[in-house]
Amino acid sequence: MSIFSSILDKLGIKKPAAPAAPATPAKPMPTGPTPGAYYQPGQNAPTPAAIPVVDVVSKLNGLAQRNPLKLNWKESIVDLLVLLGLGHSEKDLEDLATELNCPASELSTSFKRNMWLHKTVLQKIAENGGNIPRELLNK
């Protein structure tokens, strides 16, 4: 399991299943864009699965309140990982940066990498149904 998948799992966020592909194509692929050419008459296009919203803020705030350490998940990727009981070593952070395709320019120092990781992880949590406040996403 990837590190980011572990983060989602610990937060109770389940990635939506990919829609099932039809067993046989309804019509051959047209040579140009033809509206409705991929579906038989009366057949609706598949709709993307709704992503249920998970109250990440309450979960993380609750974990932080019960933790004897003064952890600030809103500003620190390390604190976020500690709250979730996940690895937070230098190697873990490097692996997470690689997994999330951290740009080389953000890898020049651990501070820059960690700032990028924190922002990116929060954005990806929000993309997967976590209720991350806008002010945390715009830091």
Side-chain angles (χ1 to χ4, degrees), residues 56-58 60-61 64 71-77 79-80 83 115 118-119 122 132-133 135-137 139:
V56 171
V57 172
S58 291
L60 290 172
N61 284 340
L71 300 172
N72 186 356
W73 67 267
K74 293 178 181 179
E75 294 184 11
S76 168
I77 187 65
D79 288 5
L80 176 63
L83 277 179
M115 295 300 291
H118 187 260
K119 182 176 183 169
L122 292 181
I132 303 297
E135 62 270 12
L136 292 180
L137 297 175
K139 279 189 167 189

Side-chain angles (χ1 to χ4, degrees), residues 11-69:
L11 292 170
I13 297 174
K14 306 294 182 214
K15 293 192 105 178
T24 57
K27 292 184 181 179
M29 192 80 135
T31 56
T34 307
Y38 301 103
Y39 305 99
Q40 293 179 357
Q43 180 183 13
N44 293 329
T47 56
I51 299 174
V53 176
V54 174
D55 193 358
V56 171
V57 172
S58 291
K59 285 184 181 194
L60 290 172
N61 284 340
L63 289 170
Q65 287 174 350
R66 291 186 297 275
N67 195 302
L69 302 173

Side-chain angles (χ1 to χ4, degrees), residues 94-113:
E94 289 171 5
D95 290 346
L96 182 58
T98 299
E99 178 183 339
L100 297 178
N101 299 314
C102 182
S105 62
E106 301 298 326
L107 295 172
S108 61
T109 66
S110 60
F111 176 78
K112 286 180 75 172
R113 179 205 57 213

